[in-house]
C-alpha cells in the first residue's frame, strides 16, 4: 500500500484552479530527481493550495517565497506542526 499524508476538505474561499493534490512527504514529486519532478509546477500558478498535510499554500517562485518570509505582519511565522513527525515519520 502506498503511503499518503492525510487530506482535509478544501476551504470554500480557495479557488478550484488553485488546488493541486501535492504531498510534500509521500507524493510522486519527492521520488527520484526532485528538480525535474518539481519543475512541472512552474507551468502552473505562482501559488497553489494543497489539501495534504493539514492543507496549506505552496509557492512555486523564489521571489514570492522571499516576500512571504520577509513579511511577518501579513504571514504567520509560527511553526504550527510538522505533519511528518506527527505521523511518526522520519
Amino acid at each position: 500500500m502506498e503511503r499518503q499524508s492525510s487530506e482535509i476538505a478544501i476551504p470554500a474561499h480557495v479557488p478550484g484552479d488553485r488546488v493541486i493534490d501535492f504531498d510534500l512527504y509521500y507524493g510522486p514529486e519527492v521520488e527520484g530527481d526532485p528538480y525535474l519532478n518539481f519543475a512541472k509546477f512552474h507551468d502552473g500558478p505562482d501559488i497553489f493550495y494543497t489539501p495534504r498535510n493539514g492543507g496549506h499554500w505552496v509557492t512555486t517562485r523564489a521571489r514570492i517565497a522571499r516576500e512571504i518570509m520577509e513579511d511577518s505582519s501579513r504571514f504567520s511565522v509560527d511553526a504550527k506542526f510538522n505533519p511528518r513527525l506527527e505521523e511518526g515519520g522520519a
Side-chain angles (χ1 to χ4, degrees):
M1 185 169 110
E2 184 177 312
R3 286 188 79 172
Q4 212 174 45
S5 297
S6 61
E7 183 175 359
I8 67 161
I10 298 165
H13 70 275
V14 176
D17 65 342
R18 293 293 176 134
V19 177
I20 297 176
D21 187 10
F22 168 65
D23 188 337
L24 176 62
Y25 299 116
Y26 304 115
E29 297 84 9
V30 299
E31 301 294 327
D33 182 349
Y35 296 105
L36 179 63
N37 294 335
F38 280 87
K40 72 178 185 178
F41 292 120
H42 288 278
D43 294 333
D46 291 350
I47 298 173
F48 68 86
Y49 182 86
T50 178
R52 298 285 174 190
N53 304 298
H56 56 93
W57 291 95
V58 178
T59 179
T60 62
R61 304 292 187 269
R63 173 187 53 78
I64 296 171
R66 189 173 307 110
E67 288 176 24
I68 291 169
M69 290 186 291
E70 292 175 348
D71 189 351
S72 62
S73 66
R74 291 189 312 150
F75 299 97
S76 173
V77 295
D78 294 333
K80 300 289 184 198
F81 66 97
N82 183 328
R84 190 165 192 182
L85 293 177
E86 288 178 1
E87 293 175 1

